[in-house]
Amino acid sequence: MQGAFIEGEWLCLWDGKDRSRVVRVDEIQLRGWHNVENVMAACAISQAANLPYSAMREAITEFSGVPHRLEWVQTWHGADWYNDSIATAPERVTAAIHAFSSP
């Protein structure tokens, strides 16, 4: 059985025999644990499609998100402002709120 998992600071893939490190979790530019889970799912699908780990790593480290989804806008009067106007369902809003550790 194949799969993706987190081991320490690494996102890893299991091919049924061996573990391979793909990327450190802190290299994922997207904010929030839900996005780490999304990256793990994308890696598992990529692995099933026999894509090279190097391509996965490159895509993960270069992808910084899409407009309107936890998109940093600016810092104003000491507060960071984010555009999350795409979060129109309660589950999306909850995931966005949990993506922040500071008020």
Side-chain angles (χ1 to χ4, degrees):
M1 177 159 32
Q2 298 178 327
F5 61 97
I6 301 296
E7 182 178 69
E9 62 185 24
W10 287 92
L11 187 156
C12 300
L13 289 173
W14 176 256
D15 66 4
K17 296 180 203 165
D18 297 309
R19 169 198 42 89
S20 297
R21 290 177 169 176
V22 178
V23 67
R24 285 193 334 269
V25 174
D26 65 2
E27 293 180 280
I28 299 170
Q29 295 186 56
L30 305 174
R31 186 180 269 284
W33 181 252
H34 66 290
N35 281 315
V36 173
E37 292 173 329
N38 289 339
V39 170
M40 288 192 322
C43 285
I45 291 167
S46 298
Q47 179 185 43
N50 294 316
L51 296 175
Y53 293 168
S54 60
M56 294 179 211
R57 178 175 168 56
E58 182 179 349
I60 293 164
T61 58
E62 290 184 9
F63 184 69
S64 60
V66 297
H68 313 294
R69 183 165 293 159
L70 280 176
E71 176 185 26
W72 181 82
V73 177
Q74 70 176 8
T75 300
W76 186 62
H77 292 285
D80 287 329
W81 290 78
Y82 289 83
N83 176 357
D84 198 35
S85 58
I86 203 164
T88 58
E91 297 82 9
R92 287 184 176 188
V93 173
T94 300
I97 290 169
H98 289 284
F100 294 90
S101 59
S102 59

